[in-house]
Amino acid sequence: MEKYLYIALFAPLVSSLFSALFTATPKKLFTGIVASLLIITSFISSTVLLTHILETGEPIHVTMMTWMQTGGLYIPFGFMVDQISVTMMMVVTLVSSVVHVYAIGYMDHDRGFNRFFAWLSAFVFSMMILVMSDNYAGLFIGWEGVGLCSWGLIGFWFHKESATWAANEAFIMNRIADLGMLIGLFLIYWNTGTLQYDGAFAAFHQLPTATLTWIGIFLFIGAMGKSAQFPLHTWLADAMEGPTPVSALIHAATMVTAGVYLVIRSHELYSLIPHVGLFIASLGTFVAIFAASMALVNRDMKRIIAYSTLSQLGYMFAAAGLGAYWVALFHLMAHAGFKALLFLGAGNVMHAMHDELDPFKMGGLKKVMKWTWIMMVIGSLALAGVIPFAGFFSKDTILEAAYSGNHMVIYGVLLFTAGLTAFYSFRLVALIFHGEERYKLFGIHPHEAYRFMLWAMSPLLLVAIAAGILQTPFFDMVEEALNAHEYHIAHGTALIMLVGTQLFVGLAILYAYRKYANSRVKVPDGTSKMENSFAYKLLINQYYIPYAYEEYIVKPYRELSEIFWTKVDLKVVDATVDGIAGIIYGTGEKTRDMQSGNLSTMLKWMVAGLVGLLSLAVIFGLTARYSDEILAILSGLGV
């Protein structure tokens, strides 16, 4: 099985290096084809490893070589495939394979076609390192790798100022959070003497609760940045400036779930500090409704789906914080399929609408984009948690976990959020595909995506439809690794919860269609009563949090930087350096005559130098000869 591990891990690296060979050349179709085939190879190898885990239940460990060894620190290039990592490998490689094939059509006319695949495959390689490493150091290397690659992909269209700004925002905000994670790793090594998962997990049971609490907090800070949890959440929606395949891969299925993976992988730690887990669950619950509320009124198609991702990440953290790690992992897996499907469907709409993102300027696209409509409806049903689609099984189990643990506030908020999710999901579908054909007002002639792009999306469609039937086999697979079990709720209570949830979600969908799937919908111009209401302005401006960051953090920091630049850097640091340089330069100017080449001048300097040397020799000689007398005289003078 080791060879399949290496193929799964290194095929994306080969894909990236191959694509990078042609970054300076015009678009070459075979670059995208070869890159996609290599990612598909990684997916096939991951599937073989999954089969092995299902059959034997035995993890695979591989140590390639020693990475660091100094003093008591030993970190190998070690990789591990177990029930947790193989789930993530399947998610990463499946979505990556679909996105690579889809991107051949989506990026068809982009002059950075080859460069795009180099960055995209490098991201997949970094993500595979992150999930396959058997130690925290390797995880951190992959963690930083996906951060770098996401910067390159979000800012792929670097000629757009908004894209480069969004890339820098994502990179900087994640670096702030990563400092917390790095402190957590230092604390792990300081207290356990190792960064290997098995060694650290065994040592955690011997550490005091206070130490474990600090480790858990700092690791979670890193997870907050990568998974865009409040207050480090603003970068996720802004990251929609990147190409849509990037949004589908990074911001729906892989990178943003790395924080959830970190908490799940560290379940041995968090199970010992349930109070930290409760905080994680509470924050996740808040983020779930917080993000969903902003999606209710937004007029950017990709941002609505991004806020949905942020909300669903809140669900995952809520489950993980409550100790239902296997449920969080299952929702991560199911969500990756239908959310990537929605993003790629949005990409089809963008291509058809000449990159228009405002759903109010669309309408009636069902007539010309039937297959995209079907896929986005099914993806939205899965996202809303409608039975029998994938999202129902994963989200319903999260609600059961909250109810069984008697966390009624968390349960109530997540249930209400499910209704909001259904509303904004079908608000988007209704505005895009139903009602009057408003796009005609803007002279747009939409068309369906390439046939092979639709076929590429079909695996995600299958996940959205049928992932729910994998729930029991999945729980059986991760049972030993994550102590998985089913929540037992009284049959009558469970039935009431099921019917109530589905009724609530169904009413939200019907209300969204009634409000937005008709010919009365107009393109908003800022004059309606709703648009001028306080609630609308609060939500459309993201609760003014970006404004607060700009006014109370960015601007003061910029002003302080300018003060240090003008008062300290220029007048002190630069002045000191320039002064020293001026003295040396002036001295050189004055002594330049020494090397003038004039024999008479050079003889004078030679004589002067000889006199100087002889004078020093006499002084040092007399000092040595009469040192005792000199010391006596100085002593008498009180020196």
Side-chain angles (χ1 to χ4, degrees):
M1 288 291 116
E2 288 187 13
K3 65 180 179 181
Y4 293 106
L5 185 152
Y6 288 130
I7 292 172
L9 176 62
F10 289 110
L13 175 61
V14 176
S15 174
S16 177
L17 295 176
F18 175 81
S19 302
L21 293 174
F22 305 99
T23 52
T25 63
K27 172 207 164 185
K28 294 183 182 296
L29 184 62
F30 74 86
T31 303
I33 295 173
V34 172
S36 300
L37 289 174
L38 286 166
I39 300 299
I40 292 171
T41 301
S42 179
F43 168 69
I44 294 171
S45 296
S46 299
T47 305
V48 173
L49 294 169
L50 173 64
T51 303
H52 169 80
I53 294 295
L54 288 172
E55 291 177 350
T56 66
E58 294 295 326
I60 303 168
H61 284 84
V62 170
T63 300
M64 292 178 59
M65 64 187 78
T66 298
W67 177 20
M68 296 183 199
Q69 187 168 12
T70 174
L73 176 64
Y74 170 69
I75 303 176
F77 276 115
F79 301 95
M80 173 180 63
V81 177
D82 64 357
Q83 291 86 344
I84 303 172
S85 59
V86 78
T87 302
M88 292 297 297
M89 290 166 63
M90 290 298 296
V91 169
V92 172
T93 55
L94 174 61
V95 176
S96 300
S97 298
V98 170
V99 168
H100 272 73
V101 176
Y102 178 91
I104 294 174
Y106 190 89
M107 303 297 291
D108 183 43
H109 302 294
D110 197 289
R111 60 184 179 182
F113 183 88
N114 302 330
R115 176 169 57 90
F116 180 80
F117 280 94
W119 274 115
L120 202 64
S121 298
F123 172 85
V124 179
F125 173 62
S126 298
M127 195 68 196
M128 294 296 277
I129 290 177
L130 191 158
V131 302
M132 294 176 69
S133 289
D134 67 354
N135 60 81
Y136 280 108
L139 181 147
F140 188 72
I141 293 300
W143 191 276
E144 295 304 305
V146 295
L148 174 63
C149 294
S150 68
W151 172 82
L153 288 166
I154 296 168
F156 180 77
W157 289 317
F158 52 84
H159 55 278
K160 293 171 57 180
E161 183 179 353
S162 58
T164 56
W165 187 90
N168 290 336
E169 180 192 20
F171 189 82
I172 293 169
M173 193 163 286
N174 274 275
R175 297 296 73 73
I176 293 170
D178 290 352
L179 175 61
M181 181 179 176
L182 200 57
I183 294 173
L185 299 188
F186 285 143
L187 289 174
I188 291 174
Y189 178 72
W190 184 266
N191 289 280
T192 68
T194 182
L195 289 173
Q196 297 294 118
Y197 292 146
D198 51 0
F201 294 162
F204 285 155
H205 294 273
Q206 311 301 323
L207 297 179
T209 302
T211 301
L212 294 174
T213 298
W214 283 113
I215 293 174
I217 289 172
F218 281 115
L219 288 183
F220 181 63
I221 290 173
M224 287 170 62
K226 197 66 74 182
S227 294
Q229 295 296 282
F230 178 87
L232 304 175
H233 65 283
T234 55
W235 69 267
L236 183 61
D238 293 334
M240 295 302 105
E241 288 290 339
T244 301
V246 172
S247 303
L249 179 63
I250 297 180
H251 307 112
T254 53
M255 184 180 115
V256 293
T257 61
V260 180
Y261 171 76
L262 175 62
V263 174
I264 295 172
R265 174 57 74 187
S266 303
H267 67 278
E268 296 273 7
L269 166 65
Y270 287 103
S271 62
L272 299 172
I273 44 176
H275 53 291
V276 176
L278 183 58
F279 168 77
I280 293 173
S282 301
L283 180 63
T285 302
F286 166 74
V287 171
I289 192 170
F290 171 73
S293 65
M294 291 187 288
L296 295 175
V297 300
N298 202 275
R299 288 181 55 182
D300 185 310
M301 176 172 55
K302 287 177 66 177
R303 280 179 175 263
I304 292 171
I305 304 175
Y307 286 132
S308 173
T309 297
L310 185 55
S311 180
Q312 298 307 305
L313 288 168
Y315 271 90
M316 297 174 205
F317 277 115
L322 295 175
Y325 305 104
W326 64 98
V327 179
L329 189 59
F330 182 67
H331 188 50
L332 184 158
M333 179 183 70
H335 171 264
F338 57 72
K339 185 53 62 67
L341 180 66
L342 287 171
F343 265 118
L344 296 184
N348 292 348
V349 174
M350 284 182 64
H351 256 200
M353 293 293 296
H354 304 168
D355 293 332
E356 178 59 59
L357 287 167
D358 188 350
F360 281 94
K361 296 180 180 179
M362 301 178 189
L365 288 178
K366 174 185 174 182
K367 297 178 182 178
V368 292
M369 302 184 71
K370 179 180 178 181
W371 291 108
T372 297
W373 168 70
I374 292 173
M375 290 184 177
M376 289 197 71
V377 166
I378 291 175
S380 298
L381 288 170
L383 173 61
V386 175
I387 194 170
F389 298 97
F392 162 75
F393 294 92
S394 57
K395 292 173 73 173
D396 189 65
T397 313
I398 294 174
L399 292 174
E400 288 179 359
Y403 186 87
S404 298
N406 202 32
H407 300 287
M408 302 311 295
V409 173
I410 292 177
Y411 171 80
V413 173
L414 292 180
L415 177 60
F416 183 69
T417 303
L420 298 183
T421 303
F423 175 80
Y424 68 67
S425 297
F426 282 89
R427 168 182 178 264
L428 185 63
V429 170
L431 286 172
I432 294 173
F433 296 104
H434 299 277
E436 187 178 357
E437 297 165 342
R438 296 179 297 277
Y439 59 83
K440 292 182 178 179
L441 300 174
F442 305 95
I444 298 174
H445 303 284
H447 55 84
E448 184 61 280
Y450 295 134
R451 186 63 59 87
F452 81 88
M453 294 170 66
L454 296 173
W455 277 108
M457 295 166 63
S458 58
L460 302 177
L461 184 65
L462 292 176
V463 172
I465 294 173
I469 65 176
L470 301 176
Q471 183 181 48
T472 300
F474 175 79
F475 286 177
D476 290 340
M477 182 183 75
V478 301
E479 180 179 7
E480 184 176 350
L482 294 173
N483 191 28
H485 60 269
E486 293 186 2
Y487 290 99
H488 297 289
I489 301 175
H491 180 72
T493 304
L495 183 61
I496 293 172
M497 291 171 58
L498 173 62
V499 173
T501 302
Q502 291 298 295
L503 182 61
F504 184 42
V505 168
L507 289 174
I509 293 173
L510 290 174
Y511 179 66
Y513 262 104
R514 182 178 179 183
K515 186 173 179 64
Y516 294 104
N518 56 65
S519 59
R520 297 192 304 274
V521 174
K522 306 296 181 183
V523 180
D525 57 4
T527 60
S528 72
K529 183 177 180 181
M530 183 189 75
E531 291 174 288
N532 287 302
S533 67
F534 172 76
Y536 180 88
K537 290 181 179 179
L538 187 68
L539 296 177
I540 201 69
N541 288 290
Q542 305 174 57
Y543 293 93
Y544 294 98
I545 292 174
Y547 172 80
Y549 285 173
E550 178 70 22
E551 290 294 319
Y552 302 114
I553 297 178
V554 176
K555 283 186 178 180
Y557 183 80
R558 184 186 298 120
E559 292 171 359
L560 185 64
S561 298
E562 289 180 356
I563 291 173
F564 275 99
W565 173 49
T566 56
K567 305 298 184 183
V568 178
D569 194 44
L570 292 179
K571 295 187 177 181
V572 178
V573 178
D574 283 1
T576 302
V577 173
D578 292 343
I580 295 172
I583 292 171
I584 295 174
Y585 182 81
T587 304
E589 283 287 327
K590 295 184 185 317
T591 58
R592 182 175 293 174
D593 289 344
M594 294 173 62
Q595 302 294 331
S596 65
N598 185 289
L599 182 60
S600 175
T601 302
M602 294 178 72
L603 285 172
K604 291 178 182 178
W605 281 107
M606 289 174 64
V607 171
L610 181 62
V611 170
L613 290 173
L614 289 174
S615 300
L616 289 173
V618 170
I619 292 171
F620 283 121
L622 291 174
T623 301
R625 173 68 179 81
Y626 298 105
S627 59
D628 294 338
E629 290 81 351
I630 293 173
L631 289 173
I633 294 171
L634 292 174
S635 178
L637 294 173
V639 177

